[in-house]
Amino acid sequence: MRDFSMRRRTRDTSRRSSTGAVPRATRPLSAALPLSATLPLSAALILALALVAGCSGPIELRPGGTPRPTIISMGELDRRGHAVVGSMVLCLTAPGSVEVTAVTPVNPAGPITVVAYALRFHFGPLIGSAYGDLASVGVQPDHIVDAPCVESSGEGYELVLELATAPATNASADGWLITYTTAGASRQTSFPLGVLLCATAPAGEPGCTRT
């Protein structure tokens, strides 16, 4: 019994090679559409991408990571001077920059005053807390944040506050409301770092309690 499968495949191959036809499924899209038809498609794609970029919304400022509510106690301000508090890392939801225009206490008790504030790019140890002023801890009066948030990197801008209270008076706050401008609009975010400032008693002593 003869095997005709090889002869059949040979005849089919010779028939395709003799005509020189290209199978329809292998033709590129550019061969199926004239150049005049592809140009409107390209323009429509560019317009769609531009609309998506324009609808992404303004850049927002937020705390880096997920900070837990914490309280820093500082005592003897009448003798030691102003309190300097940092440890608040901020970053942006997208590349760009925003300007911080104000920092105010959340739920203040007593006459707590933000004497000055500044932001410094953070890539190592935080300032934490100290006594003196911003210059004494090496912080320049910069109010711009231009670092996007990178999860688990710890990078961003550390917000540093110089704080004071009235003589012989304790003061406290539960956190900070941060006002900033983005795309010409004013917005706000917050950071849950509380402070307890004591005028005469050392931190941790019975006289250094919330008013």
Side-chain angles (χ1 to χ4, degrees), residues 2 13 23 34 36 38 56 70 76 79 94 99 104 118 128 133-134 136 140 162 177 182 204:
R2 294 185 178 180
T13 304
S36 59
T38 60
S56 59
T70 307
E76 302 178 285
R79 179 178 67 84
E99 180 181 5
T104 53
D133 55 19
L134 296 183
S136 67
Q140 302 298 319
E162 180 182 338
L177 187 64
T182 174

Side-chain angles (χ1 to χ4, degrees), residues 1-210:
M1 184 174 180
R2 294 185 178 180
D3 183 5
F4 293 95
S5 59
M6 183 60 71
R7 294 178 60 188
R8 186 177 298 111
R9 285 197 296 270
T10 304
R11 285 199 299 272
D12 293 343
T13 304
S14 62
R15 183 162 54 249
R16 286 196 300 270
S17 61
S18 63
T19 60
V22 178
R24 187 179 184 86
T26 61
R27 292 183 181 179
L29 181 60
S30 59
L33 292 174
L35 179 60
S36 59
T38 60
L39 289 178
L41 291 177
S42 300
L45 179 60
I46 293 173
L47 177 60
L49 292 175
L51 290 175
V52 171
C55 294
S56 59
I59 300 169
E60 295 185 351
L61 182 69
R62 71 172 180 83
T66 307
R68 297 180 178 180
T70 307
I71 296 179
I72 293 179
S73 297
M74 303 184 69
E76 302 178 285
L77 265 65
D78 283 358
R79 179 178 67 84
R80 306 183 71 172
H82 292 170
V84 177
V85 177
S87 300
M88 294 175 278
V89 178
L90 303 170
C91 55
L92 305 179
T93 57
S97 66
V98 304
E99 180 181 5
V100 175
T101 56
V103 181
T104 53
V106 175
N107 296 329
I112 187 168
T113 302
V114 180
V115 179
Y117 67 91
L119 294 122
R120 70 177 190 110
F121 185 72
H122 158 66
F123 54 87
L126 297 166
I127 287 177
S129 61
Y131 294 92
D133 55 19
L134 296 183
S136 67
V137 293
V139 177
Q140 302 298 319
D142 188 4
H143 297 164
I144 302 297
V145 176
D146 59 7
C149 299
V150 179
E151 297 300 330
S152 303
S153 71
E155 292 186 357
Y157 277 77
E158 182 182 14
L159 174 63
V160 186
L161 308 178
E162 180 182 338
L163 306 173
T165 185
T169 306
N170 296 350
S172 63
D174 291 337
W176 305 96
L177 187 64
I178 304 160
T179 304
Y180 64 96
T181 56
T182 174
S186 179
R187 291 175 175 262
Q188 292 181 321
T189 188
S190 61
F191 202 101
L193 178 67
V195 295
L196 172 59
L197 307 180
C198 299
T200 58
E205 294 295 323
C208 188
T209 59
R210 296 195 64 167

